[in-house]
């Protein structure tokens, strides 16, 4: 799987920042070693710590070209910087050393790596500052200031310049550039997401239009047929196409182009079927009980087709002629993935000998196959009058496939 663009950019910027900071800090350390030894006349510990850190940190950064693991380079540099900064601070005045501010840079560098590293380093630095302070107390001190008295002001000047340059010109400038690049990349990705959403909406709109065209063709074709049974087959196929078209229409109309609002969809589909089969003046009532449930298209289409078949059967065979009646649809969520659909009517019902698995009736076979497609189970609710089903199913995410 390809890494997200933002992550690739972030890793690239992090590598660039770490390498740049390491090389600059190494050069500055080597230069500081020369200044300490020749200009400030510091001949013990401090110039050698600067020298060793500069050389080891340069080598560590150079080795990245071979192992390509920025975490190793970053951690080794952080440990080297921590040891060097601690040693220089302790032997150049302890808590009063101007170099102590570089410890804050290590915390800053930690947060550049990860938040976890930053928290580890800040706790460690707090502890080290307490230890450094303890060395300033006469009873606990075992170190001495290696900077000559007449060079301390100049040493402080160079330390402050060292810290300010690393913080401002290196960390600050590069972090600002990194932030700008990430913001620019984010804007580009947001633009692509908006374009993709518009494209998907347009696709749903065109699919809906194409399905409605198919429905119109079926309607036109049925007009040339005399046999009522054939007309009914055309009408049933037309309703199935419309039930799928409604899904794409709702995705096109909604801000969320992934999820279907089930209550609105089932209500719209049920009312359409009621008008289509029984006419506009029907006395049949719809009772829909669906809380705030949203399903994606791969679940909504087979579920809509199942509801279409169950309501169509109820209108054709359950509630006959112009009788009063009621059709109910209830959908509830059992857990994160599983749902229970109760659907049926209070009509005459069908014979007990009818078996959903081996019936020759197309509508009942479709209900059974659609339930299987939803990875669920179906059973009759014998406690109610009429024909009532209990369908237990789960949300599916794979592509919609054949129901044959």
């Amino acid at each position: 799987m390809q890494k997200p663009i933002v992550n690739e950019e972030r890793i690239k910027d992090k590598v660039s920042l770490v390498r740049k900071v390491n090389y600059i800090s190494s050069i500055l350390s080597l230069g500081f070693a020369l200044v300490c030894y020749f200009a400030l006349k510091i001949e013990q510990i401090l110039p050698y710590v600067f020298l060793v850190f500069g050389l080891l940190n340069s080598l560590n950064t150079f080795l990245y070209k071979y192992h390509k693991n920025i975490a190793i380079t970053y951690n080794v540099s952080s440990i080297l910087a921590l040891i060097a900064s601690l040693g220089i601070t302790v032997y150049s005045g302890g808590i009063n050393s101007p170099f102590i501010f570089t410890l804050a840079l290590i915390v800053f560098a930690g947060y550049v790596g990860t938040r976890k590293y930053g928290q580890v380093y800040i706790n460690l630095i707090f502890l080290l500052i307490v230890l450094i302070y303890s060395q300033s107390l006469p009873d606990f001190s075992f170190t001495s200031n290696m900077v000559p008295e007449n060079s301390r002001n100049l040493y402080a000047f160079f330390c402050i310049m060292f810290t300010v340059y690393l913080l401002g010109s290196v960390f600050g400038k590069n972090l600002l550039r990194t932030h700008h690049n990430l913001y620019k990349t984010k804007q580009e990705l947001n633009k692509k997401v908006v374009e993709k959403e518009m494209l998907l909406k347009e696709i749903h709109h065109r699919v809906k239009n194409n399905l409605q065209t198919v429905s119109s063709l079926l309607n036109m074709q049925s007009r040339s047929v005399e046999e009522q049974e054939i007309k009914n087959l055309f009408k049933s196929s037309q309703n199935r196409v419309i039930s799928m078209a409604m899904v794409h229409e709702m995705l096109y109309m909604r801000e969320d182009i992934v999820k279907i609002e089930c209550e609105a969809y089932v209500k719209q589909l049920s009312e359409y079927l009621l008008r289509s089969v029984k006419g506009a003046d029907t006395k049949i009532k719809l009772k829909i009980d669906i809380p705030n449930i949203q399903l994606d298209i791969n679940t909504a289409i087979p579920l809509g087709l199942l509801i279409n078949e169950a309501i169509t059967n109820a209108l054709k065979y359950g509630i006959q002629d112009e009788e009063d009646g009621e059709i109910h649809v209830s959908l509830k969520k059992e857990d994160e993935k599983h749902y229970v659909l109760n659907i049926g009517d209070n009509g005459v019902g069908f014979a007990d000998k009818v078996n959903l698995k081996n019936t020759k009736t197309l509508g009942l076979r479709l209900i059974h196959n659609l339930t299987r497609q939803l990875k669920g189970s179906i059973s009759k609710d014998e406690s109610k009058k009429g024909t009532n089903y209990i369908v237990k199913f789960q949300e599916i995410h794979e592509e919609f496939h054949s129901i044959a």
Side-chain angles (χ1 to χ4, degrees):
M1 184 179 293
Q2 189 176 6
K3 292 182 179 179
I5 296 174
V6 173
N7 285 344
E8 289 183 352
E9 290 293 329
R10 182 176 180 272
I11 293 171
K12 182 179 177 181
D13 288 333
K14 184 177 177 180
V15 170
S16 175
L17 179 61
V18 169
R19 295 181 69 185
K20 187 173 292 186
V21 169
N22 281 3
Y23 279 129
I24 292 175
S25 60
S26 297
I27 293 170
L28 289 176
S29 294
L30 293 172
F32 213 154
L34 297 175
V35 169
C36 285
Y37 193 84
F38 293 104
L40 302 179
K41 305 302 180 182
I42 305 172
E43 298 179 353
Q44 294 181 356
I45 299 178
L46 298 184
Y48 303 105
V49 174
F50 279 116
L51 179 65
V52 171
F53 171 77
L55 293 174
L56 291 179
N57 198 42
S58 297
L59 177 63
N60 173 49
T61 309
F62 177 76
L63 291 175
Y64 171 77
K65 293 182 179 181
Y66 298 96
H67 59 69
K68 296 296 181 182
N69 190 331
I70 194 61
I72 294 175
T73 302
Y74 168 78
N75 286 318
V76 171
S77 293
S78 298
I79 293 169
L80 288 173
L82 184 61
I83 294 171
S85 298
L86 180 61
I88 293 168
T89 300
V90 168
Y91 288 98
S92 62
I95 199 68
N96 296 311
S97 171
F99 203 78
I100 197 169
F101 295 106
T102 57
L103 294 173
L105 278 179
I106 297 173
V107 176
F108 191 68
Y111 277 109
V112 169
T114 63
R115 183 180 178 183
K116 184 178 179 180
Y117 280 146
Q119 290 174 336
V120 169
Y121 281 119
I122 196 170
N123 291 328
L124 183 58
I125 296 301
F126 277 140
L127 177 61
L128 291 177
I129 289 174
V130 172
L131 293 174
I132 291 170
Y133 172 73
S134 70
Q135 295 303 304
S136 302
L137 301 176
D139 295 337
F140 297 97
S141 178
F142 61 87
T143 60
S144 58
N145 193 340
M146 298 299 176
V147 182
E149 187 73 32
N150 60 348
S151 299
R152 289 179 184 178
N153 286 339
L154 193 56
Y155 175 78
F157 170 77
F158 282 117
C159 286
I160 292 170
M161 293 297 289
F162 180 88
T163 306
V164 169
Y165 182 77
L166 278 178
L167 181 61
S169 185
V170 181
F171 274 111
K173 187 166 65 176
N174 284 280
L175 282 176
L176 184 63
R177 184 185 297 115
T178 300
H179 175 75
H180 174 73
N181 290 338
L182 285 175
Y183 181 74
K184 184 179 178 181
T185 303
K186 183 180 178 181
Q187 281 187 317
E188 292 173 354
L189 286 175
N190 286 339
K191 183 179 178 182
K192 289 180 180 179
V193 168
V194 171
E195 290 174 353
K196 182 179 178 181
E197 287 180 351
M198 293 298 295
L199 178 61
L200 285 173
K201 281 194 171 188
E202 182 62 25
I203 290 172
H204 284 304
H205 184 56
R206 292 191 180 190
V207 170
K208 184 263 295 184
N209 288 343
N210 290 339
L211 289 171
Q212 286 184 333
T213 300
V214 173
S215 175
S216 298
L217 291 172
L218 289 170
N219 187 43
M220 291 173 61
Q221 188 70 38
S222 67
R223 293 174 187 171
S224 63
V225 177
E226 298 296 332
E227 293 85 352
Q228 187 59 42
E229 186 176 351
I230 303 298
K231 280 182 175 288
N232 291 339
L233 290 176
F234 272 109
K235 190 64 178 177
S236 296
S237 298
Q238 184 182 356
N239 290 343
R240 290 166 188 138
V241 172
I242 288 293
S243 73
M244 290 187 285
M246 284 181 182
V247 172
H248 293 280
E249 181 179 27
M250 298 194 87
L251 288 174
Y252 169 73
M253 297 297 292
R254 281 172 51 84
E255 288 296 325
D256 185 354
I257 59 172
V258 178
K259 296 287 187 178
I260 294 290
E261 192 71 44
C262 286
E263 184 177 18
Y265 172 55
V266 172
K267 184 177 180 182
Q268 184 179 339
L269 176 60
S270 303
E271 289 175 349
Y272 164 77
L273 292 171
L274 212 58
R275 293 192 304 271
S276 175
V277 179
K278 293 294 188 180
D281 299 327
T282 180
K283 297 177 182 179
I284 298 174
K285 296 179 181 179
L286 285 172
K287 185 179 179 181
I288 297 174
D289 178 22
I290 300 176
N292 185 25
I293 294 177
Q294 297 179 349
L295 297 172
D296 65 30
I297 187 172
N298 296 311
T299 307
I301 286 182
L303 181 65
L305 287 170
L306 189 153
I307 292 171
N308 173 83
E309 297 304 323
I311 292 179
T312 300
N313 285 345
L315 294 172
K316 284 184 176 180
Y317 312 114
I319 306 172
Q320 298 177 346
D321 301 325
E322 300 300 321
E323 295 178 3
D324 294 345
E326 181 181 276
I327 293 175
H328 66 89
V329 183
S330 171
L331 180 61
K332 299 190 184 303
K333 194 170 185 177
E334 273 195 325
D335 52 43
E336 191 66 27
K337 289 176 58 179
H338 297 85
Y339 300 84
V340 177
L341 171 70
N342 290 275
I343 185 168
D345 61 81
N346 60 354
V348 297
F350 58 78
D352 294 335
K353 64 182 180 180
V354 175
N355 191 323
L356 284 171
K357 293 183 179 180
N358 54 30
T359 180
K360 295 181 179 180
T361 306
L362 176 61
L364 295 179
R365 286 210 317 272
L366 280 174
I367 290 174
H368 174 68
N369 290 339
L370 287 164
T371 302
R372 287 175 54 199
Q373 185 175 321
L374 288 165
K375 298 179 181 179
S377 62
I378 184 169
S379 59
K380 282 186 65 179
D381 186 354
E382 303 290 353
S383 65
K384 298 178 181 177
K385 178 188 174 184
T387 303
N388 297 276
Y389 303 108
I390 301 173
V391 182
K392 295 183 178 182
F393 67 95
Q394 59 181 293
E395 190 164 8
I396 53 177
H397 300 285
E398 64 267 21
E399 293 183 1
F400 183 74
H401 50 79
S402 172
I403 57 174

